[in-house]
Amino acid sequence: MQNVKVIIWGLGAMGSGMANMLLKKKGVDIVGAVGRGAKLGKSMYEVIGTERGDRPDVIIGTPEDIIKEKAADVVLCCTDSFTSKAFDRLKFVLEKKINVVSSAEEMSYPQAKEPELAKQLDEIAKANGVSILGTGINPGLIMDLLVVIMTGCCEEVEHIVSRRVNSLSPFGPAVMEEQGIGISVDEFKKGVETGHLAGHVGFHESINMIADAIGWNVEKVTQSMDPIVTDVDRKSPYGFAKAGDVAGCAMKGFGYVDGELKIEMDHPQQIEPEQVGVQTGDYVIIKGTPNINMVNSPEVPGGIGTIAMCVNMIPHVINAKPGLQTMLSLPVPRAIMGDLRDQIDPDCKIVK
Amino acid sequence: MQNVKVIIWGLGAMGSGMANMLLKKKGVDIVGAVGRGAKLGKSMYEVIGTERGDRPDVIIGTPEDIIKEKAADVVLCCTDSFTSKAFDRLKFVLEKKINVVSSAEEMSYPQAKEPELAKQLDEIAKANGVSILGTGINPGLIMDLLVVIMTGCCEEVEHIVSRRVNSLSPFGPAVMEEQGIGISVDEFKKGVETGHLAGHVGFHESINMIADAIGWNVEKVTQSMDPIVTDVDRKSPYGFAKAGDVAGCAMKGFGYVDGELKIEMDHPQQIEPEQVGVQTGDYVIIKGTPNINMVNSPEVPGGIGTIAMCVNMIPHVINAKPGLQTMLSLPVPRAIMGDLRDQIDPDCKIVK
């Protein structure tokens, strides 16, 4: 079998990380990279900061240059957070009859916020005989799939709390701005009102994924967003919050079933949590038969986690039935420590 | 769609528990029960100790009486721990063109100890257009699938420890005897030598499942079994160990890849662990990128967990492609809180 052929669309932190991860794996080649602006025409290896060695060069091009029928088995689309913004790009790839993994948070369960676009993506994928999946660390695993798998050993589930207490310190300037790090409490409140502060994207997706999985009919999802005000100055590589200002963003999500609050998401994110004695971790707390009381501490880091999830799902997406897939419809994610081709069904390979 | 139709073969603790769980669910009927000896001819409701209400009675019969083509969508086989002992029964059901969920520990990954029988089961299932799965709490979820899913967010995996520290106090006389509860250390050692003490069945299955999932080629699996000697008298509902005697069985399993110990299983089971300050729990500890350090405490109880896993996998098994399936090849397990029929692909239903 030929090596698995991958194209990466978008060489920001996530796309570059996926490229570097793939370069360490057996049985897989990066055969193309799509970028824009100053990156066009450059070597992918220069952009991701990795020695090319004796590999053939990969010159960053436009989608039209790079993404052609039979050019690859899968395209990793790392360009967007929202389904509506990613839609035209995803459609472009699917119509070239190539499978897609998207890192867009909303694409982890597009049925939640964009049911019409989800339906269209499903139809386009089926018409072209390929499949498409959105995934990442969260949404994608920590606050949803990990909850779902633990309900698998429950006879009954009454109430779910999914909590992710994490550090924003490893993240760069874009995340600092999205989360309001360093601004005043008044500025934060204005940012929430105007929609300028994005915070975490994914509660609708995680709540609907869990509910659909176990057969609860979610009638309402709400969320709240509050500043984490620091008592002391906190400094991370890309962020600074002085005492009295905002060091993080505490988001909560609430899913209601038959008028009752059944699914709670609790996701405080901040820089330098250790400095104030906050222990980070991922929690799954299920009230049911039996109760589940699980924690992974410290938390799975967001960057590495998303990179690994997108790459590790490549075989499942290539092997899947055509259409829109979700983490609920595919087998469990797993690391790739052997030859990637060993996980591929030969009948499903595009580049034979 | 007609309700999902289930036959239960074996009404011991597990089969009875599955019956009681199913009776609380929507969209599913128990249409038959297979037993032997004094149970034959009795009402299933009498044996499982549950009011029949206005449900039609289910009279326990022989396999030949009960398991006929189109009689059910799935048979839950709760009769054995070992693939070789279960084989004829599983074959009998498959040849009636009915899907199977087996609670036999070895059946959770029969490729490990019985590759030839696994191949035969796969062929028989395919020839009859149905699928077969072995599952349970462990093997099936805690010491294997839960490890696999957490490797899904890892770029690299170097070493795995899977630990389950659990209480045997809820279990009955059969488990007390299998695990050597209350006997002397000398008797325990003799029991290990003669193979009389079964201990935990599942390390070969769990280790091979994890390794195959992530692409490690396991060349050797070993295991050890030591008495947990108590310093104080310990008493559980069905067990008693006086000070100096055996209160539990500490099993370890070791999986080697390229001459190196890569997967460790650590599974001490004992009565009344709380009495001596042992905290029970399920642990997944991965050395990799990133590290994973997860614990669910207290542990998922073995009985409820196995019952729930077997029942909750029913929809996945009915929907699966024909053949031998494993927890690696099917979507993640999940609780069934809605109508079971909502999870069934109409094309895959046997009793239309």
Side-chain angles (χ1 to χ4, degrees):
Chain A
M1 188 190 286
Q2 279 203 47
N3 279 358
V4 174
K5 309 289 187 192
V6 180
I7 291 171
I8 301 179
W9 189 340
L11 287 170
M14 292 301 101
S16 296
M18 291 176 209
N20 278 315
M21 177 175 168
L22 283 166
L23 293 173
K24 291 178 204 144
K25 299 293 172 189
K26 290 189 287 280
V28 58
D29 300 322
I30 302 174
V31 295
V34 175
R36 58 184 179 181
K39 287 177 189 160
L40 277 171
K42 282 193 181 162
S43 164
M44 175 192 79
Y45 293 97
E46 188 192 333
V47 169
I48 67 174
T50 299
E51 287 292 325
R52 176 164 72 85
D54 54 7
R55 300 183 192 94
D57 207 354
V58 175
I59 303 298
I60 298 169
T62 64
E64 292 74 15
D65 291 339
I66 306 295
I67 302 173
K68 296 176 174 166
E69 271 193 45
K70 310 263 179 206
D73 296 298
V74 65
V75 175
L76 304 179
C77 283
C78 313
T79 51
D80 299 276
S81 287
F82 301 98
T83 302
S84 58
K85 288 197 181 160
F87 184 81
D88 288 345
R89 297 189 177 101
L90 304 175
K91 181 168 182 274
F92 182 88
V93 181
L94 294 173
E95 288 179 341
K96 295 289 186 285
K97 303 187 194 307
I98 303 180
N99 301 293
V100 175
V101 176
S102 164
S103 66
E105 287 94 325
E106 279 193 359
M107 274 298 296
S108 70
Y109 207 68
Q111 295 87 338
K113 291 285 281 286
E114 301 284 2
E116 181 49 40
L117 297 181
K119 195 165 155 263
Q120 286 184 44
L121 287 170
D122 187 48
E123 286 165 1
I124 297 166
K126 282 178 176 154
N128 289 281
V130 291
S131 64
I132 174 167
L133 170 78
T135 194
I137 194 66
N138 185 39
L141 177 63
I142 294 298
M143 293 186 86
D144 37 45
L145 194 70
L146 197 53
V147 174
V148 172
I149 196 174
M150 293 312 294
T151 70
C153 62
C154 294
E155 293 190 8
E156 302 287 340
V157 175
E158 289 162 44
H159 186 264
I160 289 168
V161 175
S162 183
R163 174 173 294 133
R164 178 161 162 84
V165 182
N166 65 321
S167 172
L168 292 175
S169 289
F171 290 91
V175 171
M176 295 301 117
E177 198 186 326
E178 281 166 22
Q179 303 278 342
I181 307 304
I183 65 179
S184 71
V185 174
D186 277 351
E187 287 170 318
F188 187 96
K189 284 181 182 163
K190 258 179 237 152
V192 173
E193 273 167 30
T194 60
H196 175 73
L197 286 178
H200 170 68
V201 176
F203 284 164
H204 283 82
E205 290 69 25
S206 293
I207 289 172
N208 278 281
M209 195 194 298
I210 294 168
D212 286 355
I214 70 174
W216 277 347
N217 192 11
V218 169
E219 62 209 9
K220 190 176 67 172
V221 173
T222 63
Q223 60 181 46
S224 67
M225 194 168 165
D226 288 298
I228 298 174
V229 181
T230 184
D231 289 334
V232 296
D233 290 0
R234 297 197 213 175
K235 191 174 176 355
S236 68
Y238 296 94
F240 173 72
K242 71 172 196 295
D245 282 348
V246 175
C249 176
M251 289 192 68
K252 296 189 185 209
F254 307 95
Y256 295 84
V257 178
D258 296 332
E260 226 181 308
L261 175 57
K262 296 290 253 183
I263 305 178
E264 291 184 56
M265 305 260 128
D266 182 15
H267 190 17
Q269 306 194 80
Q270 59 202 291
I271 58 167
E272 302 298 293
E274 304 80 6
Q275 206 178 317
V276 291
V278 171
Q279 191 175 359
T280 59
D282 302 312
Y283 300 77
V284 176
I285 302 159
I286 299 174
K287 186 164 176 256
T289 311
N291 294 323
I292 300 293
N293 180 36
M294 196 160 82
V295 54
N296 172 60
S297 183
E299 86 280 20
V300 176
I304 297 175
T306 292
I307 289 164
M309 287 290 291
C310 289
V311 169
N312 289 336
M313 288 305 289
I314 289 175
H316 291 337
V317 171
I318 293 175
N319 294 342
K321 276 198 303 195
L324 173 65
Q325 300 290 340
T326 71
M327 294 306 290
L328 295 181
S329 62
L330 296 179
V332 294
R334 58 204 68 172
I336 300 168
M337 296 307 296
D339 191 305
L340 209 142
R341 290 170 297 180
D342 294 344
Q343 293 194 29
I344 305 290
D345 177 347
D347 292 341
C348 300
K349 191 92 168 55
I350 292 175
V351 188
K352 300 279 185 191
Chain B
M1 189 189 285
Q2 279 203 46
N3 278 359
V4 174
K5 309 288 185 190
V6 181
I7 291 171
I8 302 180
W9 189 340
L11 288 169
M14 292 303 101
S16 296
M18 291 176 210
N20 278 315
M21 177 175 169
L22 283 166
L23 292 174
K24 292 177 202 142
K25 298 294 172 189
K26 290 190 286 279
V28 57
D29 300 322
I30 303 174
V31 295
V34 174
R36 58 184 179 182
K39 287 177 189 159
L40 277 171
K42 281 192 181 164
S43 164
M44 175 192 79
Y45 293 96
E46 188 192 332
V47 169
I48 67 174
T50 299
E51 285 293 323
R52 177 164 72 84
D54 54 6
R55 300 183 191 94
D57 208 353
V58 175
I59 303 299
I60 298 169
T62 65
E64 292 74 15
D65 290 339
I66 306 295
I67 303 173
K68 297 178 173 162
E69 271 194 46
K70 310 266 180 203
D73 297 296
V74 64
V75 174
L76 304 179
C77 283
C78 314
T79 51
D80 299 275
S81 286
F82 301 99
T83 302
S84 58
K85 287 197 182 163
F87 184 82
D88 287 344
R89 296 189 177 102
L90 303 175
K91 182 167 180 274
F92 182 88
V93 181
L94 294 173
E95 288 180 341
K96 295 289 185 290
K97 303 188 194 306
I98 303 180
N99 300 293
V100 175
V101 175
S102 164
S103 66
E105 287 95 324
E106 280 192 0
M107 274 298 296
S108 70
Y109 207 69
Q111 295 88 337
K113 291 285 281 285
E114 302 284 3
E116 180 49 42
L117 295 182
K119 196 164 154 264
Q120 285 184 41
L121 287 170
D122 186 49
E123 287 165 2
I124 297 166
K126 282 178 176 154
N128 290 282
V130 291
S131 64
I132 173 167
L133 169 78
T135 193
I137 194 67
N138 184 39
L141 177 64
I142 295 298
M143 294 187 85
D144 37 46
L145 194 71
L146 198 54
V147 174
V148 172
I149 196 174
M150 292 314 293
T151 71
C153 62
C154 293
E155 293 191 8
E156 303 286 341
V157 176
E158 290 162 44
H159 185 263
I160 290 167
V161 175
S162 183
R163 175 173 293 133
R164 178 161 162 85
V165 182
N166 65 322
S167 172
L168 292 177
S169 290
F171 291 90
V175 170
M176 295 302 115
E177 198 185 326
E178 280 164 24
Q179 304 276 342
I181 306 306
I183 63 178
S184 72
V185 175
D186 277 351
E187 286 170 318
F188 187 95
K189 285 180 182 162
K190 257 179 237 154
V192 173
E193 273 166 31
T194 59
H196 175 72
L197 287 178
H200 170 69
V201 176
F203 283 162
H204 283 82
E205 290 69 26
S206 292
I207 289 172
N208 278 281
M209 195 194 297
I210 293 168
D212 286 355
I214 70 174
W216 277 346
N217 191 10
V218 170
E219 62 210 7
K220 190 175 67 170
V221 173
T222 63
Q223 61 182 45
S224 68
M225 194 168 165
D226 288 297
I228 299 174
V229 182
T230 185
D231 289 334
V232 297
D233 290 359
R234 297 198 214 173
K235 190 173 176 353
S236 69
Y238 295 95
F240 174 71
K242 72 172 194 297
D245 282 347
V246 174
C249 174
M251 289 193 67
K252 295 189 184 209
F254 306 95
Y256 293 85
V257 178
D258 296 332
E260 226 181 308
L261 175 58
K262 296 290 254 183
I263 305 177
E264 292 185 55
M265 304 262 129
D266 182 16
H267 190 17
Q269 307 195 80
Q270 60 202 290
I271 57 167
E272 302 298 293
E274 304 79 8
Q275 206 179 319
V276 292
V278 171
Q279 192 175 359
T280 59
D282 302 312
Y283 299 78
V284 175
I285 302 160
I286 299 174
K287 187 164 175 253
T289 310
N291 295 323
I292 301 293
N293 180 36
M294 195 160 81
V295 55
N296 172 61
S297 184
E299 85 280 19
V300 176
I304 296 174
T306 293
I307 288 163
M309 286 290 291
C310 289
V311 169
N312 288 336
M313 288 304 288
I314 288 175
H316 291 336
V317 171
I318 293 174
N319 294 342
K321 277 198 301 196
L324 173 65
Q325 301 290 339
T326 71
M327 294 307 289
L328 296 180
S329 61
L330 296 179
V332 295
R334 58 204 67 172
I336 300 168
M337 296 305 296
D339 191 306
L340 210 142
R341 290 171 296 180
D342 294 345
Q343 293 193 28
I344 305 290
D345 177 348
D347 293 341
C348 300
K349 191 91 169 53
I350 292 175
V351 188
K352 300 279 186 193

